[in-house]
Amino acid sequence: MLINAELLLQYQRCKRRPFLETHGDYNQRDVSHELLVKVQQDKLTHQQSVLENLEYHQPNFPSGNWQAGAAATIELMQQGVNIIHRGVLLANYAEKYTLLSRPDLLVKQPGISSFGDCVYVPVDIQLGKRLKQEYQVIAAFHAEIVGGLQEVSLDTAWLILRNKDLTYVVDLDKWTPPMLEILAEYVQVIESPEAPEVFIARQKCNLCHWYNHCYEIAQSQQHLSLLPGVTPIRYTQLQALSTTTLEALVNTSPSTLENLVGFDTEVASKLIVQAQSTFTKRPLILPYALPIKNLTFTAPIEIYFDIEAQPGLNLNYLLGVLVVDRQRNTEKFYSFLAETATQEEFIWQQFLDLVWQYPQAPIYHFCAYEVDTVKKLGRLYRTPHSSVSSVLKRFLDIYEQLTRSVALPIESYALKVIARWLGFEWRDPEATGAKCIYWYDQWLETGDHTLLELIQRYNEDDCRATLTVKNWLVDFFQSEQTKILA
């Protein structure tokens, strides 16, 4: 059985996925998510940009014939070529396993090995910007195999990340021991008769082929990972207390949890109220809630703001603004769209011109991205600091107000989940922020304006969803306040 770097990478992100990849029914896998396809394309583009100025050799062998690939790679190493791209390295492991290593590059360096007066060092090209642990573990995996093949112990391996001008050195003395531990754990998992326990961590799980399969299992079990605030670390602590059901958590005292790893007094109280909200299927005010006065209720004119961005291009291409005039009972949506990256400055100025027309209007948004982006665009286009700061003072984050004030009987505090719980629906049910990234990429390739129209409609719906959530929050607090006064 083959164990390759991709499987080991998946195991570090999710212990369950490699088991499913090895033993699962492939008919239960989801179709590849558009964003995942784009990420894979972006990674290939990034690798090609690194390779374009390099002279390298590549082993020639029939597709899937790893033994032939390994022989062709060894032949290139024996010839002493300077760089090998996508070589094939094999090693035996635990009797019945074969380790398959395909580093992006093998680079010839001075030294002594079984190939003579040189050694080959593995280089991995990754799309990430940070030197993640999982990348360094994979680098150690490649180094362990290529080192054994050369009969030499390597000290370092290399990583090239998105900033391809820098090559990062991986300390193999540090990362080889944990890599070997992870490899041994991986074998234990795939040899187990049952898959590891399901745990839904949405940011990590959403793009996985097995997401819906695992999600259905989690729902059938009413698994606590579906409860907002239950992280893997906190779940481990709850398991130690045998508190693994919603009802058990509802009946737990906050004092039982507050001194555990991953908890404190506020987190413990908030998590139990979240469990109570989910259990009773009704919204509840949180302990340590923000004072009601911190929430601006209704203003004569209110602005709702949402951005669509293309991370790969470092481009904020759509600034959507919904202006709500409560005195005239009117709503007007403005879509400031950059069809190319060169138009970003123009739509930034359009946005400023509009919000300056309403100097007293609060500007509502959902999560911190809009604040961070306005600061960034102000610096990038040298907008006077006083002008930007006066706008930012009017920003109010509905996500922060809501999550620090109430618990809702929902599985996630994403805008879509909250708004749909309130009855709001997007005009394009399948549209998501991730799909907008894909659509904009397709627009740049095809020039199909219908893609831009889909994005603009989605962005407007995001603004209107934020309005819906804000209105509900105002009504809820006013209702609760009336109950208290009564």
Side-chain angles (χ1 to χ4, degrees):
M1 185 181 294
L2 285 173
I3 302 175
N4 60 30
E6 180 62 26
L7 290 170
L8 215 57
L9 186 67
Q10 292 171 5
Y11 178 77
Q12 293 179 81
R13 296 171 177 172
C14 171
K15 290 180 170 55
R16 183 179 172 85
R17 180 170 173 177
F19 181 94
L20 295 174
E21 294 287 350
T22 305
H23 304 294
D25 178 358
Y26 269 50
N27 292 322
Q28 295 178 323
R29 293 191 357 154
D30 303 331
V31 175
S32 292
H33 194 288
E34 291 97 332
L35 185 56
L36 179 60
V37 172
K38 175 171 168 46
V39 168
Q40 291 168 340
Q41 290 172 342
D42 288 348
K43 183 174 181 180
L44 181 60
T45 300
H46 171 53
Q47 290 174 338
Q48 289 172 342
S49 72
V50 173
L51 295 171
E52 63 185 2
N53 295 319
L54 298 178
E55 293 185 7
Y56 58 84
H57 292 75
Q58 193 163 353
N60 184 21
F61 62 97
S63 178
N65 187 334
W66 302 123
Q67 294 293 340
T73 301
I74 290 173
E75 184 177 348
L76 290 173
M77 296 169 83
Q78 289 172 334
Q79 293 172 11
V81 303
N82 289 325
I83 301 175
I84 302 170
H85 173 48
R86 297 293 285 164
V88 178
L89 309 169
L90 299 175
N92 294 324
Y93 180 78
E95 295 183 0
K96 61 179 179 180
Y97 294 98
T98 298
L99 303 183
L100 168 62
S101 166
R102 300 207 66 195
D104 292 306
L105 299 172
L106 289 167
V107 178
K108 181 181 175 183
Q109 294 290 292
I112 301 297
S113 73
S114 59
F115 296 116
D117 57 351
C118 69
V119 295
Y120 284 91
V121 175
V123 182
D124 238 20
I125 304 170
Q126 298 286 356
L127 189 59
K129 295 180 180 178
R130 296 185 295 107
L131 194 61
K132 299 177 183 178
Q133 171 180 317
E134 60 194 41
Y135 293 162
Q136 297 184 84
V137 167
I138 295 307
F141 174 79
H142 293 311
E144 182 73 6
I145 298 171
V146 72
L149 187 65
Q150 299 177 99
E151 299 178 8
V152 64
S153 179
L154 296 177
D155 297 323
T156 58
W158 299 334
L159 278 168
I160 298 175
L161 303 184
R162 192 176 299 185
N163 182 355
K164 59 180 182 290
D165 296 329
L166 293 175
T167 300
Y168 296 89
V169 176
V170 178
D171 182 351
L172 295 177
D173 287 339
K174 176 181 178 180
W175 289 105
T176 299
M179 181 276 293
L180 293 173
E181 289 180 15
I182 290 168
L183 181 58
E185 289 173 7
Y186 170 89
V187 169
Q188 286 184 334
V189 166
I190 62 173
E191 288 183 346
S192 172
E194 295 184 5
E197 182 180 3
V198 69
F199 192 97
I200 302 298
R202 293 182 189 278
Q203 286 189 331
K204 291 185 177 181
C205 295
N206 278 347
L207 299 184
C208 177
H209 293 295
W210 299 98
Y211 173 73
N212 284 310
H213 169 71
C214 293
Y215 179 71
E216 288 174 8
I217 293 172
Q219 273 200 317
S220 69
Q221 298 174 350
Q222 293 186 306
H223 197 273
L224 282 185
S225 63
L226 297 177
L227 192 71
V230 176
T231 63
I233 290 175
R234 291 171 189 163
Y235 184 63
T236 300
Q237 300 297 315
L238 294 172
Q239 282 180 307
L241 297 174
S242 298
T243 305
T244 56
T245 67
L246 186 62
E247 187 172 2
L249 186 55
V250 165
N251 295 310
T252 299
S253 168
S255 61
T256 305
L257 305 178
E258 59 189 21
N259 293 317
L260 300 177
V261 175
F263 289 90
D264 57 28
T265 302
E266 183 174 345
V267 168
S269 299
K270 189 173 179 178
L271 185 60
I272 290 171
V273 173
Q274 177 64 63
Q276 292 167 348
S277 173
T278 301
F279 190 73
T280 60
K281 297 181 171 58
R282 62 189 180 92
L284 298 172
I285 294 180
L286 289 169
Y288 308 102
L290 285 174
I292 291 176
K293 65 181 181 181
N294 285 1
L295 176 66
T296 299
F297 287 107
T298 56
I301 295 178
E302 299 174 349
I303 292 173
Y304 293 83
F305 179 38
D306 186 71
I307 296 173
E308 304 302 330
Q310 195 73 355
L313 300 177
N314 198 24
L315 170 66
N316 296 282
Y317 64 85
L318 178 54
L319 309 181
V321 179
L322 176 66
V323 178
V324 178
D325 188 328
R326 294 194 179 271
Q327 292 178 322
R328 298 181 180 178
N329 196 28
T330 61
E331 297 175 359
K332 186 171 181 179
F333 181 69
Y334 298 84
S335 183
F336 302 127
L337 175 67
E339 294 190 357
T340 66
T342 59
Q343 296 176 349
E344 185 184 60
E345 182 177 7
F346 177 66
I347 67 167
W348 164 240
Q349 191 58 53
Q350 284 184 306
F351 164 76
L352 291 177
D353 290 344
L354 177 64
V355 298
W356 285 337
Q357 290 180 35
Y358 308 100
Q360 304 304 317
I363 302 172
Y364 296 100
H365 59 100
F366 196 88
C367 290
Y369 185 80
E370 279 68 26
V371 171
D372 295 339
T373 300
V374 165
K375 291 178 181 177
K376 172 190 162 188
L377 292 174
R379 290 191 299 268
L380 181 62
Y381 298 115
R382 299 182 180 180
T383 308
H385 175 73
S386 59
S387 298
V388 176
S389 62
S390 66
V391 171
L392 287 172
K393 286 176 183 177
R394 296 154 52 196
F395 272 51
L396 285 164
D397 187 347
I398 294 299
Y399 171 81
E400 181 184 13
Q401 295 280 345
L402 186 142
T403 56
R404 292 181 62 187
S405 302
V406 297
L408 304 180
I410 54 180
E411 294 178 0
S412 161
Y413 283 89
L415 177 61
K416 264 196 170 54
V417 178
I418 300 170
R420 281 178 170 155
W421 177 73
L422 295 172
F424 181 90
E425 286 297 335
W426 275 251
R427 283 170 285 179
D428 299 302
E430 301 302 316
T432 64
K435 281 201 171 182
C436 285
I437 292 173
Y438 176 76
W439 285 336
Y440 192 78
D441 199 48
Q442 290 298 298
W443 147 254
L444 293 176
E445 288 185 18
T446 66
D448 183 354
H449 274 87
T450 60
L451 295 166
L452 294 183
E453 291 168 7
L454 285 170
I455 296 169
Q456 288 174 300
R457 187 160 63 235
Y458 172 77
N459 180 259
E460 179 179 354
D461 286 348
D462 272 0
C463 289
R464 294 190 180 280
T466 304
L467 169 62
T468 299
V469 175
K470 187 265 183 183
N471 285 343
W472 176 87
L473 194 55
V474 168
D475 292 342
F476 177 72
F477 270 111
Q478 287 178 339
S479 173
E480 292 299 307
Q481 195 171 36
T482 301
K483 291 177 186 178
I484 292 171
L485 293 175

